[in-house]
Amino acid sequence: MNPIDPQTFNHRKAQISTGRLYHFIDQIPENYNPIRPPLICLHGFPDSWFGWRHQIGPWCRQGFRVIVPDMLGYGETDMPHDSSAYSTKNICNDISALLDFLAIPKAVVIGHDWGSYTAGRFALWHPDRLTALVMLSIPYVPPKEQHMSVEEMARKYPSYGYQVYFASESSISEIEENLVPFLGVSFRMSEKALSWSKLDELITNKQINFTDDCLLNERELQFYVSRFQRGMRGPLSYYRTTKTRFEEEKEAQLPAHLLPNLPVLFMYGTKDATCPPSAVQNAHKFISQLNTVALEDVGHWVMLEAQDRVASEVLRFLSSLGSPQQSRM
């Protein structure tokens, strides 16, 4: 498991019971003891299983089986055309079906960004499948009582304006034609962040060297480019599920609170503009066993910016399951 060489990981593919083909990493420790709960890691946007490359090895070497899928629409996993396929209910059903395929009744579910949101919803849609929950960068939010469109959300919270662009049809071809600039903007050091308010104009700006101040080196950047050669329709479809998600959650009458006996770790960077302190505090209302870890001077890409700390904090959390709630700065 060499983080700079994707081929040194154990790649698998599976046709799961939902009908989807999933590509995933399945890293099993030597002398694996199945009494240890497997870890399943869900990446966000615009990412890949490769986003967990620095944590898979450390967790595996501590005796944990680590499963990391390319999420629906990414990498070598199926990419349906219909955006409704990317609703959180459908994605959570896929993850549950992948666990079924692997004969895993319960797992520790770990998510970052969209994967964090999905992990939180997995705890609502499939509460019997989790041993513990780890959410990175995006704190838990309960199901909404009223539908709010992406456009309405952007008007209320201007920092979310980029989601209107992602939900537009034009964003697909524009991002596909400007992959390196888009990835350079996305994986940018927090202190050098560029405004996403006019992302379409930004990624076509020929005056900016987008590889400067990028968290990815040239080799990593080219790997990501190769992962998105199939197109951006799948990854961007997650931003087109707002109404579908609301309707599915309302119909199922999903609860606002996670199970009171579910241990939860939330870890975030203090320089992450997508994670205001108020959102972190709000999550405590809905999670009984919430441990929070603030990563000082770290931005959104915690698995890159705080590689060792993320790995060690998760291991510490797993080793202390059942111990009293705690918060660390």
Side-chain angles (χ1 to χ4, degrees):
M1 294 168 284
N2 183 349
I4 67 170
D5 186 356
Q7 295 309 312
T8 60
F9 293 82
N10 185 39
H11 295 258
R12 296 183 64 182
K13 287 186 179 179
Q15 193 86 40
I16 57 176
S17 61
T18 57
R20 304 293 184 203
L21 178 71
Y22 265 73
H23 164 260
F24 59 101
I25 301 302
D26 186 8
Q27 216 67 48
I28 303 176
E30 292 182 26
N31 305 314
Y32 176 52
N33 182 354
I35 199 168
R36 288 209 156 183
L39 315 182
I40 184 162
C41 305
L42 314 180
H43 70 76
F45 175 94
D47 211 345
S48 149
W49 73 264
F50 193 58
W52 300 97
R53 62 193 176 279
H54 296 291
Q55 287 76 41
I56 296 172
W59 292 339
C60 189
R61 285 189 287 273
Q62 290 302 313
F64 291 95
R65 181 180 184 179
V66 186
I67 300 142
V68 191
D70 272 334
M71 300 298 281
L72 193 69
Y74 286 85
E76 299 175 56
T77 292
D78 276 351
M79 185 190 289
H81 190 276
D82 185 359
S83 62
S84 65
Y86 300 86
S87 76
T88 320
K89 177 183 179 181
N90 288 331
I91 299 293
C92 289
N93 287 343
D94 282 355
I95 298 305
S96 181
L98 180 58
L99 292 176
D100 289 342
F101 175 84
L102 297 169
I104 295 172
K106 286 191 171 192
V108 176
V109 181
I110 306 175
H112 173 254
D113 186 78
W114 260 107
S116 178
Y117 177 83
T118 303
R121 285 302 185 266
F122 189 79
L124 297 180
W125 285 110
H126 299 277
D128 57 327
R129 304 303 299 265
L130 291 89
T131 302
L133 171 65
V134 179
M135 303 178 72
L136 306 179
S137 301
I138 301 296
Y140 174 79
V141 290
K144 287 184 169 59
E145 296 181 0
Q146 299 291 330
H147 171 59
M148 183 183 293
S149 69
V150 173
E151 291 77 14
E152 287 177 280
M153 189 179 295
R155 281 194 292 272
K156 190 173 181 181
Y157 308 104
S159 62
Y160 286 89
Y162 68 92
Q163 295 196 13
V164 177
Y165 175 59
F166 286 162
S168 70
E169 193 67 21
S170 62
S171 66
I172 298 175
S173 59
E174 289 174 2
I175 293 175
E176 287 173 351
E177 291 165 9
N178 297 279
L179 269 179
V180 169
F182 176 69
L183 291 168
V185 169
S186 300
F187 287 92
R188 201 166 177 85
M189 297 175 183
S190 55
E191 63 270 20
K192 301 288 186 178
L194 298 170
S195 172
W196 282 38
S197 59
K198 294 184 178 179
L199 195 56
D200 52 338
E201 295 178 15
L202 180 62
I203 62 174
T204 55
N205 187 332
K206 304 302 182 186
Q207 306 303 312
I208 301 174
N209 184 342
F210 291 96
T211 57
D212 286 349
D213 306 311
C214 182
L215 291 165
L216 306 175
N217 62 36
E218 181 61 28
R219 185 171 177 174
E220 292 168 331
L221 182 60
Q222 288 309 313
F223 179 79
Y224 273 97
V225 169
S226 74
R227 297 300 86 190
F228 293 111
Q229 287 300 323
R230 280 199 306 165
M232 290 298 298
R233 178 172 295 278
L236 287 166
S237 289
Y238 288 76
Y239 292 93
R240 300 164 190 191
T241 61
T242 307
K243 189 173 185 186
T244 304
R245 282 184 277 129
F246 171 77
E247 291 171 346
E248 289 175 344
E249 292 177 358
K250 186 175 182 181
E251 183 181 0
Q253 296 183 317
L254 287 188
H257 293 74
L258 300 188
L259 289 180
N261 61 345
L262 178 68
V264 182
L265 171 65
F266 177 63
M267 202 175 339
Y268 65 102
T270 59
K271 287 190 173 181
D272 185 354
T274 67
C275 184
S278 59
V280 180
Q281 288 304 314
N282 197 53
H284 281 272
K285 299 176 186 176
F286 307 100
I287 305 174
S288 300
Q289 296 191 47
L290 178 58
N291 302 264
T292 59
V293 175
L295 302 170
E296 293 295 334
D297 298 323
V298 171
H300 183 68
W301 297 99
V302 293
M303 296 107 73
L304 290 177
E305 298 177 62
Q307 301 167 12
D308 298 339
R309 182 90 188 272
V310 167
S312 62
E313 289 290 354
V314 169
L315 289 171
R316 185 179 287 114
F317 169 68
L318 295 176
S319 69
S320 66
L321 290 183
S323 64
Q325 177 177 321
Q326 55 189 313
S327 292
R328 283 191 304 283
M329 297 299 287

